[in-house]
Structure formats: C-alpha cells, structure tokens
Amino acid sequence: MRSGSTTTVPVRVSAAFLGLGVVVGFAARTPAWTAVDMRVSHAVQSLRGPWLTAPAQVLNVGFGTVVGTALAVLLVVGVAVSGRTRAAVGVLTVIAAGWGVGALVKVVVARPRPPAVDARTGRGCRRARCECRRTPSARSGG
C-alpha cells in the first residue's frame, strides 16, 4: 500500500511564484529597497550581543549548505536503501532542481551585497555613502 500525499501544484502556479520571486529580486536591487534593507540590517546589528549571536550561528550552521547537503544525501540514501530506488531518484531530482533554480535566480538577479566579513564583524559595508560606519560599535571604536 502506498502512503503519501497526492496533492499536486500546477506548473503554472509554480512558474508564477518563480516569476514573482525574480521580479522581487530585481526590485531588491533598487536604491529605495537597498536603503530600507540597510536600515533594517543596522537595527538588527545594533541589538547584537552574545545572547543573540550564539543561537543565530547555530541556525546558520543548522540550515546551511553543508548540513542541508548531508541531510539530502541521508534522505536519498535512506529511500534508496529501503528499496524505493525510483522514489530516491525523484527526491534527488526535486532537491537538485530546487537548489539549481535558487542558484540560477541569484546569478540572474545579481543583487549587490556587502562583503560577508563586514556582517560578521559588525563593521558594516564599505560603500561610499553607507551609514554602516556610524553604528554604535564603530563610533565607540570597538
């Protein structure tokens, strides 16, 4: 007996959501969106402390590419070992397609981002007119 959901999403609905994501991605490149994004980022950075950084790092690692890849491999291998090779190929295809489309959209949209090292250190980005250097940690010298 086969278990699982038989609910499907029409391709048109999936394509519409993908298109919406690309449109929002291009909108995120506008100066107005970037300014709001930077204000929100600075507000979050001003709350940074050890009590918040440790859980955030756990979430970052737990939902990161390495753990995601390991979980995907375990899932595909587990399904294959259970004798459901065709289902394992389906699972692998869906995971690869999702990651592939996500990577492709990131390349197509190519939203400018500050260097990652600045986000980790709290220094903010090095853009000419950016307010990052005016965060409390930058003003206090620490």
Side-chain angles (χ1 to χ4, degrees):
M1 181 169 216
R2 185 176 168 174
S3 65
S5 173
T6 58
T7 304
T8 60
V9 177
V11 172
R12 287 186 210 135
V13 173
S14 298
F17 277 114
L18 177 61
L20 178 64
V22 171
V23 168
V24 170
F26 280 116
R29 295 181 61 168
T30 63
W33 188 303
T34 302
V36 170
D37 186 34
M38 292 304 292
R39 282 196 297 274
V40 170
S41 178
H42 292 298
V44 170
Q45 286 181 7
S46 70
L47 300 173
R48 179 179 280 172
W51 65 275
L52 197 54
T53 301
Q57 288 175 333
V58 168
L59 291 172
N60 187 39
V61 170
F63 291 103
T65 306
V66 174
V67 173
T69 302
L71 290 174
V73 167
L74 286 172
L75 176 63
V76 171
V77 168
V79 172
V81 166
S82 73
R84 298 172 46 199
T85 307
R86 188 172 180 178
V89 170
V91 169
L92 179 62
T93 302
V94 168
I95 292 170
W99 271 343
V101 169
L104 180 64
V105 169
K106 285 181 182 183
V107 169
V108 169
V109 171
R111 181 174 179 220
R113 308 289 294 184
V117 67
D118 292 337
R120 287 193 306 267
T121 61
R123 290 191 316 233
C125 73
R126 297 180 185 135
R127 293 182 189 161
R129 291 186 214 120
C130 184
E131 299 289 319
C132 295
R133 292 188 196 95
R134 298 183 187 169
T135 60
S137 61
R139 283 194 298 259
S140 67

